[in-house]
Every structure is written in C-alpha cells, then in structure tokens.
Amino acid sequence: MGRLTDKTALVTGASRGIGRGIARRLAGDGALVAVHYSTGETEAKETVELISAEGGRAFTVRADLGEPDEVTELFEVLQRELRERTGSAALDILVNNAAYGGQTALPEDVTVAELDKYLAVNARAPFLVAQQALPLLSEGGRIVNISSGITRSAQPDMIAYAMSKGVIEQLTLHLARHVAERGITVNSVAPGLTDNGKPMFSIPAVVERLAELSAFKRVGQVQDIADVVAFVASDEARWITGSYIDASGGTLLG
C-alpha cells in the first residue's frame, strides 16, 4: 500500500518535464492522477502510458489554462472522469504546476502582450484552478503550488516570469489561512535549475556551467522536485502549511 493509496490528484502541465515527474511519483505512491495538458496531447498520453507501465493509474484532461472558460470546462471533465473511476468527484491533491516560460527579455523590452501571457498562465490560472478545486477538495487535502527560485534572486532578463511566479507566494499564503479549518495544507515548492528536458540540458558545457550555481555542483533532476512534492502531498507534511519550500539545490545560498 502506497502512502497515497485511494487518493486522487490533479497535476497541471503534466505532459512532460517536472509535471510528468510529479504525476509519475504521485501515481507511484498510489494516487489516481489526472494528467493535465494544454497542447501536448501525445506527450500527455505518454505520461499516462508510463504510469500504467509502472503499475499506476492515470488519465488525461485538457485545457488552455490561459482561458478562464476552459478552466471551468476542465473541472467539469475532471469531475465526470473521477466519478466514473471512483464513484466520487472528490479531489485530494492539487498540484499547480503548469507555467508559461516564454523568452527572456530585459524590462524595457517586455511587451504588454507577453506580460499578459505570463500573468494569465502563471498567476491568474493557478488562482482559478485552486478556486475551482476548493469545493472538491477533501478534508485534509493538499494544494502544492510550483513556484521558482527566481522569485528570490535578481535576474533582470527574467523579470516578467519572476513577477508572475511571485504571485504564487501570495496565493499560497492566503489560501493556507483560508482552508486550514478543513485540514487542507497549501504550500509552494520552488525548483531551481532543473533538467526538464529542454534542449540546453543536452549541451554538456551548458550543464557544467549551470551546475556551478548549485551548492551540490550539479543540475537538479525532475525526480528531485517530484520527491519534494510527494512529501508535501503526504500525511507526513500535515503540520506544514503556507510555506515556501526551496527545492533549488542550494542555488540561493550564494
């Protein structure tokens, strides 16, 4: 019996990268996982196939989280799928992972359209997803918001991304107080430089340079983040809420 047996989970942005790793880990611990994707249908199905091959249970749900109406539609589908599989629409774990990365740009070069995209997907969407999830969350449920180490360091060409991710900290803080009476915890997990499958992580010279930024002198792996999220989603973390959990491998230590 896994520590998440009989639990249900929604992981947004789970078709690849860190989201896929989180979905696989939660399923490995026994949870039935809804694998959300926006455009990567093939990759999302691959995530489900991987989970099934590992003995877990999962299904896909699609939505463009930048569109509020689609967030509502996502939860309509989610409830139907959960009822078909468990007889209930109850949700135990929400992992707000989906994010828009965009391109780096100095403050004077950030366009209004680009800023709006960052804020829509990285700030507004996690709020709307959490809002829709609140009526479904079970007593003692878990909300895990994926933030970023960039919110605690200065990198001017990532200002738009950092600003949008900074909203996650406020979402976590205020929601944690709001749902505490239901035994629900809300925490943010902040990865640092993590090999999420992007092309740059296949270039040894780049990886070597990035590794120097970590106290452990290596680049983070998806499993490093997934393990932290799995702990926060478990009963062992019942006394932790409203917290910012630095999962950057000591990148912020200086």
Side-chain angles (χ1 to χ4, degrees), residues 81-254:
E81 295 287 344
L82 288 175
R83 285 194 183 97
E84 288 180 0
R85 289 167 170 81
T86 70
S88 168
L91 183 67
D92 298 297
I93 301 162
L94 166 64
V95 181
N96 260 321
N97 168 75
Y100 173 65
Q103 301 295 319
T104 58
L106 291 170
E108 56 268 33
D109 298 323
V110 177
T111 66
V112 172
E114 185 75 350
L115 182 60
D116 285 347
K117 178 72 171 177
Y118 277 113
L119 295 174
V121 178
N122 298 352
R124 185 179 67 193
F127 173 82
L128 294 178
V129 169
Q131 184 183 56
Q132 292 277 343
L134 287 180
L136 307 181
L137 280 169
S138 305
E139 188 85 8
R142 301 284 184 265
I143 298 176
V144 185
N145 297 315
I146 304 302
S147 181
S148 171
I150 196 67
T151 64
R152 303 296 172 97
S153 61
Q155 192 167 330
D157 64 350
M158 293 188 70
I159 187 170
Y161 177 75
M163 286 170 57
S164 66
K165 278 296 191 178
V167 173
I168 291 292
E169 311 311 330
Q170 293 303 311
L171 175 65
T172 295
L173 188 66
H174 295 280
L175 270 184
R177 171 64 75 179
H178 180 60
V179 299
E181 63 183 15
R182 294 169 56 191
I184 297 170
T185 68
V186 188
N187 294 287
S188 64
V189 172
L193 294 163
T194 306
D195 184 351
N196 56 9
K198 289 185 177 180
M200 69 176 184
F201 290 104
S202 65
I203 304 172
V206 172
V207 173
E208 184 177 354
R209 185 172 72 252
L210 296 178
E212 286 301 312
L213 300 175
S214 164
F216 299 115
K217 303 305 178 186
R218 70 172 177 86
V219 168
Q221 300 299 308
V222 165
Q223 192 64 42
D224 295 323
I225 311 305
D227 287 348
V228 175
V229 173
F231 166 69
V232 176
S234 74
D235 185 61
E236 288 95 324
R238 62 190 174 277
W239 204 236
I240 302 172
T241 196
S243 293
Y244 171 94
I245 299 171
D246 180 349
S248 71
T251 301
L252 304 179
L253 294 177

